[in-house]
Amino acid sequence: MWHFFPGKYMPSYQVNRALTQAHYGGGEFAEILEVAGNIDPDNRETFNIAWLNKGNEVYEWAEDYENKKAFVSARRTYLRAFNYLRTAEFFMNLHDDRKIKTYVKARQAFINATKYFDEKPITVEVPFEGSFLPGYLFKPKGVKNPPVMVMFGGLDSLAEELYFGIGDHLMERGIALLAMDGPGQGAALRLNHIHSRHDYNVAGTAVLDWVLENLKDEVDTTSVGIAGVSMGGYMAARCAAFEPRFKVCMIFGAVWSYYSVWAGRSGKHPLAEIVQHIMDEDTYEGVLKKLEGFTLENGVAEKISMPTFIMHGGGDKQNFAEHAITLEKHLTCEHKMKIVPDGESGAQHCQVDNFMPTLDMYDWIAEKIHA
């Protein structure tokens, strides 16, 4: 992975993340590099301010385009504003007064952009334990009743972010994407205060039941798959294990044991405050205790019955490739695994340094879900 900040993995990772998403409308290379040039990698506040300033600036440009009824330009500009504001919110301290305001503005930027999509997404609210899980149904243009992939993001992902790249590649293959904020994610966490849980299959089944009941006129309800990226690799696998009605499973970054990921870290890790937030825990020790349940051990992986694709990076520094290798050994279903060799472009966490190696995953999923 290219390090804009030599020797500084996390801020460099975020720059790569934005650059990769820029291919799909989630940024502009020059703007991203301008932001990066204003960041001191040893000062988190400079990261927050640089992305926030650019996000706010681009949001204003989008509003100007909208006021001039230049709706195509407004759409493209709101999408960039969303991603810059999302990045700004990511590392803000939980007690920072700007955090929720920035998240709400980022989400609104995305919603504003969708008003001008050729194929407007359907806003989804899946009832869940006294509240609801929000999401968006993105459908491929000109395809009647397409198969659909239900997808959860990762620790730091928002449902909106799944549109960039993942949504494109699925829709190009005639597959709809139901991008969801599950427990501990996006608006489900920030606005509805629904925290993460090891039995993610409860949320997966709730979403599937809602699809079967409410989307019969929109998608092929006999061809519903499950997917997850990053920490979502655990969530997708868990849902697949306990919900055999899913037709295919796409694991975009494997997680065999999320406890083992964090047991090797400390409370000073850059993401530690975030994982405490999603788990509703005040202490790192409390997080580790809850994470003991986030595992595919003890026969869980063996329960997965549908065709499953595992995508992983050989140089992944967040969830090591051993997670994918161990999971693959325990699968008894039809499956395929692709690990991008360490040192090659696309070998980093969830191919943030190059999405192109993931094309094989989408081709395989398309073959199985259309079958």
Side-chain angles (χ1 to χ4, degrees):
M1 183 182 79
W2 171 62
H3 281 60
F4 185 92
F5 308 104
K8 303 293 183 179
Y9 170 79
M10 190 56 73
S12 295
Y13 178 89
Q14 299 303 328
V15 172
N16 275 273
R17 183 176 181 172
L19 288 171
T20 298
Q21 292 168 328
H23 287 291
Y24 309 97
E28 160 55 44
F29 284 21
E31 292 171 349
I32 294 165
L33 294 178
E34 178 187 339
V35 169
N38 290 324
I39 294 173
D40 175 355
D42 295 316
N43 184 335
R44 185 167 76 170
E45 179 60 8
T46 65
F47 180 97
N48 301 338
I49 291 174
W51 285 107
L52 183 61
N53 287 345
K54 181 56 68 177
N56 284 332
E57 180 181 34
V58 175
Y59 194 103
E60 289 181 3
W61 296 345
E63 289 181 315
D64 288 341
Y65 281 126
E66 193 171 28
N67 290 334
K68 291 186 293 188
K69 301 188 185 307
F71 298 130
V72 172
S73 296
R75 180 191 72 219
R76 288 183 172 274
T77 310
Y78 273 128
L79 288 176
R80 301 202 319 277
F82 157 76
N83 214 19
Y84 299 158
L85 292 169
R86 177 202 62 77
T87 308
E89 187 261 359
F90 175 47
F91 277 120
M92 286 180 179
N93 184 284
L94 295 178
H95 305 293
D96 191 324
D97 290 339
R98 300 169 299 180
K99 190 171 180 69
I100 289 297
K101 293 178 183 178
T102 302
Y103 167 73
V104 169
K105 189 171 184 177
R107 187 170 186 248
Q108 189 60 52
F110 187 86
I111 292 170
N112 289 350
T114 63
K115 293 187 297 185
Y116 308 117
F117 280 20
D118 292 335
E119 185 75 37
K120 293 177 178 58
I122 296 172
T123 301
V124 167
E125 294 184 356
V126 176
F128 189 75
E129 299 190 346
S131 185
F132 66 89
L133 303 176
Y136 308 86
L137 176 67
F138 301 101
K139 295 173 60 181
K141 189 175 180 179
V143 180
K144 183 175 176 59
N145 295 110
V148 60
M149 293 295 290
V150 172
M151 189 164 189
F152 297 107
L155 171 70
D156 56 337
S157 293
L158 311 181
E160 296 82 4
E161 189 183 1
L162 301 178
Y163 167 78
F164 301 99
I166 295 170
D168 289 78
H169 291 305
L170 289 172
M171 286 187 285
E172 284 177 338
R173 291 162 175 79
I175 304 168
L177 170 66
L178 180 55
M180 295 298 304
D181 277 332
Q185 299 174 331
L189 173 68
R190 291 163 176 80
L191 304 182
N192 297 352
H193 310 294
I194 303 172
H195 295 90
S196 195
R197 52 194 296 163
H198 80 277
D199 56 344
Y200 228 83
N201 51 289
V202 176
T205 291
V207 174
L208 178 58
D209 285 341
W210 191 90
V211 168
L212 298 179
E213 179 66 26
N214 295 277
L215 295 182
K216 294 175 183 177
D217 295 333
E218 303 292 341
V219 300
D220 180 359
T221 53
T222 68
S223 292
V224 184
I226 183 69
V229 60
S230 190
M231 182 187 177
Y234 165 78
M235 300 163 186
R238 175 84 191 196
C239 291
F242 291 94
E243 185 48 84
R245 292 178 294 172
F246 285 120
K247 188 171 182 179
V248 295
C249 177
M250 187 177 93
I251 298 174
F252 191 174
V255 180
W256 175 249
S257 163
Y258 206 51
Y259 169 81
S260 71
V261 171
W262 281 95
R265 298 173 176 174
S266 74
K268 295 182 179 180
H269 191 279
L271 304 180
E273 189 178 62
I274 296 173
V275 77
Q276 286 179 216
H277 186 206
I278 72 164
M279 296 292 172
D280 194 27
E281 281 292 335
D282 294 328
T283 68
Y284 190 67
E285 293 71 25
V287 164
L288 290 180
K289 185 64 178 175
K290 280 190 176 178
L291 287 178
E292 289 177 0
F294 285 72
T295 179
L296 301 177
E297 299 169 300
N298 304 317
V300 174
E302 286 83 352
K303 292 180 183 293
I304 299 175
S305 57
M306 65 289 297
T308 297
F309 196 103
I310 303 171
M311 183 81 211
H312 212 92
D316 193 328
K317 293 180 174 60
Q318 297 187 47
N319 297 339
F320 300 138
E322 284 74 14
H323 285 268
I325 294 168
T326 302
L327 172 58
E328 195 272 339
K329 288 179 179 177
H330 284 263
L331 290 181
T332 58
C333 60
E334 177 187 359
H335 63 273
K336 186 171 183 178
M337 179 170 70
K338 179 175 181 178
I339 297 180
V340 182
D342 191 10
E344 291 188 8
S345 180
Q348 290 303 309
H349 183 59
C350 298
Q351 287 61 63
V352 74
D353 53 326
N354 183 359
F355 270 0
M356 294 306 100
T358 67
L359 295 181
D360 292 334
M361 173 177 69
Y362 297 112
D363 289 342
W364 195 90
I365 290 294
E367 176 189 344
K368 299 302 177 183
I369 203 167
H370 283 296

